[in-house]
Amino acid sequence: MSRPSPVLAPAPTAVFLLHIGSMDNRLIGLSIERHWKQSIRLAQSLDEADVVLVDHDRPGVDEALNQLARHPGIGVVGYAFRPESLQTRFPHHLTVSKPLNLDALPGVLNRAALLGRPLQPVALTNMAIQESSEPRPWVSDEEPDLCGSLDDIPPSPGAPLPAKLFFEPTQYLIGHLAQALDEAIKTGRPHVVSGLPRLIGVPPLPQPVCVTSFRDTQLRPFSMAQLPDATARVVNALTFSGPGSTDTLHTAEDFLWNIAAWAARGRLPAGVDPYRPVRLRAWPNFTRTWAAPHALRIVALWTREWASPVEIARRLEIPQRYVFSAYTSAHFAGLFQPEPLAAISPPAQPANDVAPLIPPQRPSILSRILRKLLNAV
Amino acid sequence: MLSERVRHNKIIFSGTVGAGKSTAINALSDILPVSTEALATDEIAGMKKTTTVAMDYGVLNLPGGEKVMLYGTPGQERFSFMWEILSNGGIGLILLINNAQPEPLTDLENYLGAFSNFIAGTAVTIGVTHMDRAPAPGLDAYRARLAELGHTPTPAVFRVDARSRDDVAMLVKALLFTLNPGLSDA
């Protein structure tokens, strides 16, 4: 009887990071080092690379790509905010959209390296909802609202809720930020989220603020992606010296609203009961925070009455994912009202006797003004 | 002659001197606003070179030829007699508070008191201006004062740059949804 021959693991795909910014370089490098080293390794030069990863949005990308002329066998994976605009310019590149989804990236790199030919473009946005690491066809009408595509859950409690309705905040930047804010307020001392390419400082006084040199365009992909374990750490910042010349100062409420919305993408934090009534104590500062579709209507209604997220969606006749997104932001921004002493018991059945807020048949003057503002702004 | 209904399509902008009422109307209006600004001659002179002594007037042109008037009240209290006249029949109030004034929360209280009858039948949203150079009090302090004054649910309070059309439009949108969250935004 012959002994089975040992199965040799395939050699890791060698990826060369070509023309990539220092922040992306660090994040991808960390991911490879901590999570993907069985399947991916960093190549030190183009000569040893199976595939290159290119940031198409950085100035000078054409000059960088000229280096590939001498390496025709290397697969190319590019990433850009608008990958569709690059398909004609770089028909032989696999172009994926920002923000990069780190769960899906190894699969994409491996496939580009193995196939050695152009692949169908894939979208890597909203991938925490699409938990698979398989690339999926790039959709030209990419959902711009960042609220995902989750189906509604039943209007009444009872049925098991889908796991994908929830996300675990501690796996995202929002969880670390919320922890930093809690610690800062509790101790009265600044805390810092470190481990990312730039720091986020959270001094608690006189009012909690978040200080960072991250720009919004950088923060959004970091907020949307699950961070590799132990990437971000919250530390007591004895040496935090306050905002520097390149830092931007945000109120903690505005900052956490945005980061939470980008992480949520239509989901709820783990442990939230979508049938439990809550009420907003205040409007968020919508001139400085990101407003998902229907966010103003949701907030207007939710500041008026106690209602569950599911009930708010029913009253406004909108998909629940938009309400879940607002819920998540308000939760982390601290905008929910504390429950009154008399506990509010969630209704067993939806309050069907409360009619949905249906706009009148003939647009009112309010609707016509709104239409004007929505179309013009 | 305009119908009564059309004449009453108006949104009122009020608030403290230097809060940016004229600027906000200018940012939103589809016409060059009609302004009755004059050289400031009283205690205001130290703050701004001109001030509105009667009212500002702008227009939002709606499809179909309909118009919404944007009325700005004069900021000085000696013109407060005009506030009620201007606001009569209006859709709602955009209240702008200059956070760089010595007592902005008192200003808030005073203006809400002056417009209390109007607000009771309509709605108000509040824009806090000049927070870049005077960050305190923060928005939470405004919300707390509004709650103390019995304004529940708490009206929308936004940090606003009156020069920004987006900011001013957001105030108006919040006013409209406060009046009716059922308005379709699709």
Side-chain angles (χ1 to χ4, degrees):
Chain A
M1 187 174 171
S2 62
R3 294 173 58 192
S5 54
V7 178
L8 294 176
T13 299
V15 58
F16 183 74
L17 304 181
L18 177 68
H19 201 60
I20 285 180
S22 59
M23 269 200 309
D24 288 4
N25 226 316
R26 183 167 176 204
L27 192 64
I28 293 166
L30 277 171
S31 301
I32 290 173
E33 183 186 313
R34 297 181 185 187
H35 298 284
W36 308 335
K37 54 185 170 193
Q38 304 300 324
S39 61
I40 305 282
R41 72 177 177 85
L42 274 181
Q44 300 306 312
S45 71
L46 280 172
D47 293 331
E48 57 176 287
D50 302 313
V51 61
V52 297
L53 183 64
V54 187
D55 182 348
H56 278 295
D57 292 333
R58 298 191 74 213
V61 68
D62 290 324
E63 291 79 1
L65 289 171
N66 285 339
Q67 300 173 49
L68 295 176
R70 287 179 284 115
H71 304 274
I74 297 181
V76 181
V77 175
Y79 64 110
F81 281 113
R82 296 191 174 279
E84 70 275 19
S85 66
L86 298 166
Q87 285 174 35
T88 47
R89 280 184 67 204
F90 304 107
H92 302 302
H93 293 190
L94 166 58
T95 309
V96 296
S97 62
K98 292 180 181 176
L100 277 179
N101 180 285
L102 293 177
D103 288 333
L105 190 58
V108 177
L109 292 171
N110 282 327
R111 289 189 64 186
L114 282 173
L115 295 174
R117 59 185 169 79
L119 298 176
Q120 291 302 306
V122 297
L124 292 182
T125 50
N126 296 340
M127 290 298 283
I129 293 170
Q130 305 278 332
E131 293 293 352
S132 161
S133 62
E134 288 295 312
R136 63 188 173 97
W138 182 81
V139 185
S140 59
D141 55 346
E142 182 181 6
E143 190 162 298
D145 58 26
L146 300 176
C147 286
S149 55
L150 206 61
D151 291 333
D152 282 1
I153 60 173
S156 308
L161 297 174
K164 62 184 179 182
L165 172 63
F166 301 102
F167 72 103
E168 180 49 62
T170 56
Q171 295 172 353
Y172 290 82
L173 176 57
I174 185 62
H176 300 284
L177 261 179
Q179 185 196 343
L181 181 62
D182 279 351
E183 298 281 337
I185 290 172
K186 212 181 297 172
T187 62
R189 287 212 295 251
H191 278 62
V192 164
V193 179
S194 67
L196 301 175
R198 295 172 192 208
L199 294 175
I200 303 174
V202 186
L205 298 171
Q207 290 171 332
V209 292
C210 296
V211 181
T212 185
S213 58
F214 271 124
R215 296 189 304 272
D216 267 7
T217 50
Q218 299 165 328
L219 268 174
R220 185 181 287 202
F222 272 112
S223 306
M224 294 174 81
Q226 288 187 34
L227 298 175
D229 285 345
T231 300
R233 294 177 304 281
V234 174
V235 292
N236 191 329
L238 294 172
T239 58
F240 184 73
S241 57
S245 59
T246 60
D247 287 337
T248 307
L249 194 141
H250 311 260
T251 66
E253 179 188 300
D254 295 355
F255 198 69
L256 268 74
W257 174 282
N258 285 344
I259 303 292
W262 294 331
R265 281 161 294 142
R267 298 173 298 170
L268 292 166
V272 166
D273 178 357
Y275 300 104
R276 183 174 185 77
V278 290
R279 184 177 177 176
L280 287 174
R281 65 177 175 82
W283 287 65
N285 180 24
F286 272 133
T287 55
R288 300 294 180 271
T289 55
W290 182 72
H294 312 299
L296 275 77
R297 304 176 65 196
I298 293 167
V299 168
L301 185 56
W302 231 339
T303 50
R304 288 184 180 197
E305 54 193 65
W306 292 85
S308 70
V310 169
E311 175 63 7
I312 291 285
R314 191 190 71 79
R315 296 279 308 281
L316 296 176
E317 296 196 318
I318 57 176
Q320 293 168 353
R321 61 181 182 272
Y322 297 117
V323 185
F324 296 161
S325 178
Y327 181 102
T328 301
S329 284
H331 171 78
F332 284 103
L335 287 176
F336 280 121
Q337 203 165 306
E339 289 195 20
L341 289 176
I344 292 174
S345 54
Q349 297 293 327
N352 287 323
D353 54 327
V354 182
L357 295 162
I358 303 171
Q361 289 299 309
R362 181 183 179 277
S364 65
I365 182 64
L366 303 187
S367 297
R368 297 196 295 280
I369 299 170
L370 181 64
R371 187 75 39 230
K372 159 88 177 181
L373 295 175
L374 291 172
N375 291 336
V377 175
Chain B
M1 185 176 163
L2 292 173
S3 72
E4 187 72 5
R5 186 176 60 80
V6 171
R7 279 199 296 118
H8 285 176
N9 289 343
K10 60 185 179 187
I11 297 172
I12 311 301
F13 288 70
S14 190
T16 48
V17 173
K21 299 179 291 295
S22 307
T23 309
I25 290 172
N26 194 22
L28 200 60
S29 176
D30 290 326
I31 62 162
L32 280 176
V34 178
S35 180
T36 52
E37 293 223 318
L39 288 175
T41 55
D42 52 13
E43 74 276 9
I44 309 307
M47 298 177 57
K48 49 190 288 197
K49 288 189 174 130
T50 61
T51 192
T52 304
V53 294
M55 63 176 194
D56 290 321
Y57 171 81
V59 169
L60 269 183
N61 289 321
L62 303 185
E66 203 166 12
K67 295 180 188 304
V68 177
M69 286 44 160
L70 311 171
Y71 283 165
T73 70
Q76 299 110 309
E77 225 166 318
R78 68 174 184 271
F79 293 112
S80 59
F81 67 90
M82 211 180 281
W83 298 349
E84 198 173 334
I85 298 166
L86 284 173
S87 59
N88 185 30
I91 290 168
L93 175 67
I94 305 289
L95 182 56
L96 297 176
I97 300 291
N98 180 353
N99 216 40
Q101 289 275 54
E103 299 288 343
L105 295 178
T106 306
D107 293 336
L108 173 76
E109 185 172 348
N110 291 342
Y111 276 83
L112 289 174
F115 283 95
S116 59
N117 288 337
F118 177 59
I119 294 169
T122 58
V124 60
T125 55
I126 295 151
V128 184
T129 61
H130 302 290
M131 288 190 87
D132 48 342
R133 58 193 174 94
L139 296 189
D140 248 353
Y142 279 87
R143 294 164 182 157
R145 180 60 65 93
L146 285 163
E148 283 168 23
L149 295 171
H151 287 270
T152 52
T154 309
V157 186
F158 300 150
R159 174 180 177 149
V160 162
D161 179 345
R163 297 164 298 184
S164 160
R165 189 178 200 278
D166 285 356
D167 283 9
V168 181
M170 183 59 81
L171 279 170
V172 176
K173 283 189 271 186
L175 180 74
L176 300 176
F177 284 120
T178 301
L179 288 161
N180 182 4
L183 292 175
S184 172
D185 55 2

